[in-house]
Amino acid sequence: MSSATAGGAGSAPPAAPRHKSVTGTRKTVAALFLLPALVLLGALVVYPIGYSVVRSFSNQSGDGFAGIDNYKALFTDDGIRTALKNNIIWVVFAPTVATALGLVFAVLTERVRWGTAFNLVVFMPMAISMLAAGIIFRLVYDQDPDKGVANAVWVGVHDTFAESSAFPKAHPGRQSPLEAQGGGFLTKNPVHAGQSVTLPLVGVAPDQMPGSAKKAVQAKAEPGKVTGTAWQDFTRGKGVGKLGQVDASELGYAGMKVEAVKGGKVVDSAKVRDDGTFTLSAKADGAQLRLPASNFKEPYNGLDWLGPSLVTPAIIGSYIWMWAGFAMVLIAAGLAGVPRELLEAARVDGANEWQVFRRVTVPLLAPVLAVVTVTLMINVLKVFDLVFIIAPGSSQDDANVLALELYRKGFAEDQPGIASAIAVFLLLLVIPVMLFNVRRLRREVRR
């Protein structure tokens, strides 16, 4: 019995019984589960990429080999070169500004009571489609300040510091003593002290007259001075009023500037009173009276946001409006994981809030900032909707980007070979950035 016991002690324990899977081996089951995804991946990703690569080396009809001619067009075609230049601008500025704003918003929302509501408002544009955002900003950038918000604000600020003229359409009527000169008007003959001068004008609608304007009166002559009246020489109704004379219902050009000019130099000036009268000193004796061009300048109409020079920055602004909230949410998530004791230690050591932000918060958030920036870089390389919708036809060439040029070459100009080359080029641009992002994410997971 002892030997049996010894023999039993030296032998291996019996193996556990193996149960065969009802559905077969594990690899087969895994392959069956992956098969639909692999089929979709092949049909929607691998096949289109492969076909685009092949098509990029074919001629425009697709029945011949074109070599690298289509790729040469990427650097010789003016439209594609403009698109490439604009894409560089997009990649440099859009992700950087959106990430910086997201960082500022994320830090600020931690310090205000209504941070959650602020986050909601900033992130809300992400719920809007690119199509809707494009339509919204096409209206925002409208040239007319009465329609476009951007120009309404810009014109409001401008007019605060530089008031526009109230008489942009005013001009001399028939039998007027004035003649046009350099955007303004000059009397045909010199004036003399003790004389009362009439400066009749027309062309200003009654509802456009200054609110301070009163009924015009004929200025009385004064010894040693030049007096006069500048007024709207027009009365409604046929046969009502006399040309060149101040009538009872006519209004004075309140605030208009009058200058006395001798030998090309201004010797005296005055502003027209509310009733249209003005008075100049004896210096004006023998001078000609001038209504300078500043009286008639057109009202400031704002910036041409969608013109050739500003259309790309304007569209980038709409993109930042949409994606700053995305950056803010990701950065806020990273900020929540920053050890608070490090921030407090920096404050205890005497650092102010700016130093804490710049030397502690930003370095700790560097991995998150890199992920956000790279993700947005990939996104802007594919931007199409905003440019297509916001940029008007007259400046769409100036706002062109690679994705839009791909669409135009492939569908509008029927050059599928060049369109395929642009698609492959875009893929080559995206792959390094994408690989960098994947490597960084894996590194973060390992930590």
Side-chain angles (χ1 to χ4, degrees), residues 43-69:
L44 301 178
V45 179
V46 178
Y47 173 74
I49 291 176
Y51 181 80
S52 296
V53 172
V54 173
R55 192 68 182 84
S56 68
F57 290 102
S58 305
N59 57 20
Q60 302 310 318
S61 62
D63 56 4
F65 182 69
I68 61 171
D69 290 346

Side-chain angles (χ1 to χ4, degrees), residues 219 222 228 230 252-256 271-279:
E222 296 182 21
Y253 279 129
M256 182 173 281
K271 277 202 171 184
V272 175
R273 303 181 188 96
D274 293 347
D275 61 1
T277 61
F278 62 88
T279 303

